[in-house]
Amino acid sequence: MDKDMLMWDETIFRDGSVLELDHLPDHFSHRDSQVQSLMYSLRPALRGMRPVNSLLSGPPGTGKTTTVMKVFEEMKKHTQDVVFVKVNCQMDSTKFAVIARVYKALFKVSPPASGVAFRKLFEKVMNFLIENEKTLVLCLDDINYLYHEGNADDVMYSMLRAHEQFPGARVGVIAIVSDTGKLYQFDPKVNSVFLPEEVAFPRYEYDELQDILGRRIDLAFYPNVVSDEVKDSIVEYVDMTGDLRVGIDLLKRSGLNAERRSSRTISVDDVEDAYEKSRLLHLGRSIMSLTSDERALLGLIAKQKECQTGDLYKLFHELTGLGYTRFYDMVNKLNDARYVTTDFSGKGTRGRTRIVKPRYHPEDILKCLE
């Protein structure tokens, strides 16, 4: 029997649970300043005051949700008077769905799916907080999806002005935006009460990805399963997409590929095969965080494959009716988020013509936009 072959009852995984996307790591590195900023904003809740609202923004897979969950975990050790609720707005994208999620967290039972108005649930939630002297900290994760459905302003306005209708109610809101460039602008009446502490989450640097993924490898696999060459190939894929979750998922899929071959080690081929299967999944999830106009622009770029900005703007304007300033902002955003490249050529009347190209394969982008 080949000693390099894995027996049917053996595994290369020491603890596969650390490669699940909802795993909360014990050691959370390279986000100390963001954790401290959020802690500072929520600290008043420990003293029976309304917390300072927060806006967490940055590209997908940069640690925003994990930061919130780590802070919630820590604060729960110090108080029982604060209720922490995280709502995934991708799944709960209506005003009723959000308040239903809060209701379930407070009463430990889901409200009826129909026949109950938002106002009724909202009233019960607020009265519960007042009667039990509790403070609600509500995290609206991926609030982008509330924007898409046109519900963001309604949800925010209801929560942030609850104390006016229900004196004694204490509510703080953490909004998480998976975005780069210009953020969605709330309605002025929401902005006047939101006034958030803004916490930015930049893309992880290459050496930070090396460190984070290295820790996951040590926890997830037995020694010598993942070589430096394999780790580097995964880090390069993650650095290209900017999404740490790609790397964690790649580690899991690559390990399963190796076990399918009955191998005690993961090869670069295992990684490449895993990425081939998962790349559209991650690209599609990332593209869903864009607005409809941004997706339309990305689709035009993918169809053209290479286009001067002037020609691209004409096509975009015909499609959306939007002006050049908005178009220019979107091109910069798509470039910052690494969906496209924007290089200058030597052509043009002033010697500098901007050429826009998709960073991913055009057909992959178009599939994700379908």
Side-chain angles (χ1 to χ4, degrees), residues 61-80:
T62 49
K64 300 181 294 298
T65 303
T66 303
T67 293
V68 171
M69 299 312 294
K70 291 296 285 186
V71 170
F72 282 6
E73 183 182 65
E74 181 61 28
M75 291 188 70
K76 284 176 184 176
K77 299 174 185 175
H78 302 284
T79 182
Q80 294 186 339

Side-chain angles (χ1 to χ4, degrees), residues 11-13 15-22 213 216-217 220-221 225-226 230 234 244-260 266 270-271 274-275 278 282:
T11 179
I12 59 175
F13 291 93
D15 181 2
S17 69
V18 303
L19 300 180
E20 297 302 324
L21 295 180
D22 59 356
L213 291 173
R216 290 292 175 103
I217 288 168
F221 297 103
V225 169
V226 182
V230 166
I234 291 175
L244 179 62
R245 294 170 299 188
V246 172
I248 293 169
D249 188 53
L250 269 179
L251 281 172
K252 177 181 175 180
R253 289 173 185 262
S254 301
L256 293 173
N257 283 348
E259 286 199 337
R260 194 174 292 118
I266 296 173
D270 290 327
V271 177
Y275 185 71
S278 65
H282 296 290

Side-chain angles (χ1 to χ4, degrees), residues 25-32 204 208 211-212 215 244:
D26 291 332
H27 184 89
F28 183 48
S29 50
H30 308 296
R31 286 296 180 252
D32 290 348
Y204 286 110
E208 292 173 340
D211 179 50
I212 295 168
R215 287 180 186 277
L244 179 62

Side-chain angles (χ1 to χ4, degrees), residues 122-315:
F122 188 74
E123 186 177 321
K124 285 188 174 183
V125 164
M126 292 306 147
N127 285 334
F128 177 93
L129 296 175
I130 295 166
E131 291 165 10
N132 293 276
E133 299 184 343
K134 302 280 190 184
T135 300
L136 171 64
V137 174
L138 175 62
C139 172
L140 297 171
D141 195 0
D142 273 332
I143 197 173
N144 309 56
Y145 290 91
L146 290 185
Y147 304 156
H148 298 162
E149 301 294 330
N151 296 316
D153 287 322
D154 277 351
V155 170
M156 293 288 283
Y157 191 75
S158 299
M159 292 296 172
L160 295 170
R161 304 202 79 132
H163 61 280
E164 296 177 5
Q165 193 172 359
F166 300 91
R170 297 188 298 270
V171 180
V173 176
I174 302 167
I176 298 182
V177 182
S178 288
D179 206 350
T180 57
K182 285 198 171 182
L183 297 177
Y184 171 90
Q185 292 298 308
F186 289 107
D187 186 280
K189 67 181 183 181
V190 173
N191 271 333
S192 66
V193 285
F194 186 30
L195 303 173
E197 174 77 15
E198 296 188 24
V199 186
F201 285 74
R203 289 168 55 100
Y204 286 110
E205 299 292 337
Y206 190 90
D207 59 336
E208 292 173 340
L209 293 172
Q210 283 267 14
D211 179 50
I212 295 168
L213 291 173
R215 287 180 186 277
R216 290 292 175 103
I217 288 168
D218 290 342
L219 293 169
F221 297 103
Y222 287 108
N224 305 316
V225 169
V226 182
S227 67
D228 288 342
E229 182 188 13
V230 166
K231 184 174 86 167
D232 288 345
S233 71
I234 291 175
V235 172
E236 283 167 13
Y237 278 129
V238 182
D239 190 49
M240 182 175 69
T241 63
D243 188 338
L244 179 62
R245 294 170 299 188
V246 172
I248 293 169
D249 188 53
L250 269 179
L251 281 172
K252 177 181 175 180
R253 289 173 185 262
S254 301
L256 293 173
N257 283 348
E259 286 199 337
R260 194 174 292 118
R261 296 188 297 106
S262 300
S263 173
R264 295 183 183 277
T265 58
I266 296 173
S267 70
V268 172
D269 286 343
D270 290 327
V271 177
E272 290 176 353
D273 183 54
Y275 185 71
E276 191 63 29
K277 288 184 171 62
S278 65
R279 63 196 168 97
L280 289 185
L281 176 72
H282 296 290
L283 179 60
R285 184 175 62 196
S286 176
I287 284 175
M288 279 303 293
S289 69
L290 300 174
T291 67
S292 57
D293 289 329
E294 290 161 355
R295 291 199 295 271
L297 177 56
L298 184 58
L300 287 175
I301 295 168
K303 287 174 183 174
Q304 297 301 311
K305 297 180 181 172
E306 180 176 319
C307 198
Q308 294 184 13
T309 48
D311 296 332
L312 183 60
Y313 171 66
K314 288 176 186 175
L315 294 170

